[in-house]
């Protein structure tokens, strides 16, 4: 785990979430107190540039560890991951013993970590059954930003660390949120993990505990959830090429950032069903399903005429690094849900065929529409800051 990035925000977040309260605030430091006992107080530095910042953090960590009766290293790790999402890849098998794994199986696990993140990042940009050489450069760039934590004892666990520090969202004078490119970029890492969670959940539902390959309609639907041939290959890197009998992926969301909703926290794959995963991989590789764009954004305008069977929605989003408006039609049931999301000031995600020809109004033929589960409403996101 990364511990060198502890700063004032991580310290304040940990203390606040642990029941401490700020009693005094100065230009260079703060005093925080645990409960009514004034003797249970700690000095919290405010400037990482200060020469004694690290030393003060060490003293603070030891004092918290004494009061909480926990090892200092555990406290330090908890403070460090306040704005970090940690995805644990766990391999289990008879050949894994005392925190060690065979070189062959270990290489498969590390290879899988990269392939999982690249395939999920690609699916966050556009949905495709098989990417081949068309994986977006941004997906590879995302994987290069990620960090690996220390492996843990027992069943072999490999932690993958990504940022969950989100940019601020300003508003217009009437309180309507402004969509800014920089802020939207800060959500990409979290959106990748949300895509990964949902796609792995969908793949597990299609392949685990069944004896036959899923139907073609199931396969096509799964593409819309982020499943791809490359995702299947990443799972097979672990369960189909060695002695690993069980592979699971767990999502540990950053404590200080709004947590995704309606997502599984752990998804498991058994070697027993590797053949079904391989069948799905091959079917997706040969699939001719068209690529679909994925757009995240805020609903700006809605229009529903009398006696019409669909309503018109205009979404403000980011395309190729620029803020743009995209219009599309939704059936009445989906339109009503869109109205609810609009009222809740909630970001939404749309997949479908995008026509963003330069010089023309952008339009989309929508296949799926729903809330952006990777982040919560603007109102909830605004509550994570500290004075």
């Amino acid at each position: 785990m990364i511990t060198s990035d502890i700063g004032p925000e991580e310290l304040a977040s940990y203390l606040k979430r642990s029941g401490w309260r700020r009693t005094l605030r100065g230009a260079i430091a703060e005093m925080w107190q645990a409960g009514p006992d004034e003797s249970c107080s700690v000095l919290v530095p405010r400037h990482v540039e200060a020469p004694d910042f690290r030393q003060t953090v060490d003293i603070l960590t030891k004092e918290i560890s004494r009061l909480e009766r926990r090892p200092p290293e555990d406290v330090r790790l908890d403070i460090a991951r306040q704005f970090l999402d940690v995805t644990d890849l766990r391999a289990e098998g008879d050949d894994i013993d005392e925190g060690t794994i065979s070189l062959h199986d270990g290489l498969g696990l590390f290879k899988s970590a990269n392939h999982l993140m690249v395939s999920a990042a690609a699916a966050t940009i556009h949905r495709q059954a098989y990417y081949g050489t068309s994986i977006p450069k941004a997906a590879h760039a995302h994987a290069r930003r990620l960090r690996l934590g220390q492996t843990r004892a027992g069943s072999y666990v490999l932690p993958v660390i990504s940022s969950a520090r989100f940019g601020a969202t300003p508003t217009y004078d009437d309180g309507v949120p402004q969509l800014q490119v920089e802020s939207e970029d800060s959500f990409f890492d979290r959106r990748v993990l949300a895509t990964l969670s949902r796609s792995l959940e969908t793949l597990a539902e299609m392949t685990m505990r069944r004896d036959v390959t899923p139907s073609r309609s199931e396969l096509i639907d799964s593409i819309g959830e982020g499943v791809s041939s490359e995702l299947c290959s990443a799972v097979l890197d672990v369960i189909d090429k060695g002695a690993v009998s069980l592979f699971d992926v767990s999502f540990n969301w950053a404590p200080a950032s709004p947590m995704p909703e309606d997502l599984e926290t752990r998804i498991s794959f058994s070697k027993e069903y590797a053949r079904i995963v391989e069948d799905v991989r091959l079917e997706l590789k040969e699939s001719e399903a068209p690529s679909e764009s994925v757009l995240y954004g805020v609903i700006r305008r809605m229009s529903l005429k009398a006696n019409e069977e669909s309503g018109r929605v205009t979404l403000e989003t980011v395309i190729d690094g620029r803020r743009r408006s995209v219009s599309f039609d939704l059936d009445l049931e989906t339109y009503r849900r869109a109205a609810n999301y609009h009222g809740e000031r909630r970001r939404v995600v749309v997949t479908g065929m995008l026509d963003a020809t330069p010089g023309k109004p952008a339009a989309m033929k929508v296949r799926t529409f729903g809330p952006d589960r990777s982040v919560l409403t603007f109102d909830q996101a605004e509550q994570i800051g500290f004075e």
Side-chain angles (χ1 to χ4, degrees), residues 25-264:
R25 186 172 192 176
I28 61 174
E30 302 172 342
M31 291 298 298
W32 286 71
Q33 182 175 312
D37 187 356
E38 294 184 1
S39 65
C40 296
S41 298
V42 292
L43 180 70
V44 181
R46 294 187 60 191
H47 298 288
V48 293
E49 300 85 3
D52 62 346
F53 180 84
R54 294 300 168 196
Q55 180 181 359
T56 307
V57 170
D58 288 340
I59 296 172
L60 164 66
T61 303
K62 291 175 182 176
E63 181 62 14
I64 294 175
S65 118
R66 182 185 69 81
L67 295 172
E68 295 184 354
R69 298 179 180 178
R70 294 201 299 146
E73 56 270 22
D74 289 353
V75 172
R76 195 175 185 85
L77 290 178
D78 286 345
I79 295 173
R81 69 170 299 261
Q82 290 297 299
F83 296 95
L84 296 174
D85 289 330
V86 181
T87 307
D88 287 334
L89 310 184
R90 186 178 73 97
E92 183 177 303
D94 294 337
D95 194 38
I96 298 174
D97 185 41
E98 296 182 353
T100 68
I101 191 171
S102 72
L103 178 61
H104 180 271
D105 290 340
L107 287 174
L109 188 63
F110 277 80
K111 184 179 178 182
S112 175
N114 182 66
H115 287 173
L116 282 175
M117 296 304 170
V118 170
S119 65
T124 304
I125 300 169
H126 64 257
R127 305 287 200 250
Q128 199 162 312
Y130 172 63
Y131 293 92
T133 58
S134 65
I135 290 180
K137 292 182 180 179
H140 290 293
H142 163 75
R144 287 193 293 270
R145 289 198 306 270
L146 301 177
R147 307 287 295 180
L148 293 178
Q150 291 287 343
T151 55
R152 295 201 291 274
S155 297
Y156 204 84
V157 180
L158 179 64
V160 182
I161 303 165
S162 57
S163 173
R165 190 184 297 275
F166 307 141
T169 302
T171 60
Y172 295 104
D173 292 340
D174 59 0
V176 175
Q178 294 185 40
L179 199 72
Q180 294 194 332
V181 174
E182 295 78 9
S183 290
E184 290 305 297
D185 285 346
S186 71
F187 288 104
F188 186 74
D189 287 9
R190 169 61 69 80
R191 284 173 173 152
V192 169
L193 291 187
T195 300
L196 180 61
S197 175
R198 185 60 186 142
S199 61
L200 288 175
E201 180 187 354
T202 302
L203 180 60
E205 289 173 352
M206 289 197 303
T207 58
M208 298 294 104
R209 299 174 298 281
R210 64 162 68 187
D211 298 323
V212 295
T213 303
S215 66
R216 177 170 176 77
S217 63
E218 284 182 285
L219 289 172
I220 296 301
D221 288 343
S222 75
I223 299 170
E225 299 292 350
V227 177
S228 65
S229 179
E230 283 76 7
L231 182 80
C232 296
S233 294
V235 172
L236 292 168
D237 283 337
V238 182
I239 64 171
D240 193 40
K241 300 176 181 178
V244 174
S245 58
L246 184 67
F247 171 53
D248 61 48
V249 181
S250 299
F251 298 90
N252 306 288
W253 306 108
S257 300
M259 297 184 184
E261 55 183 12
D262 302 327
L263 293 175
E264 292 291 331

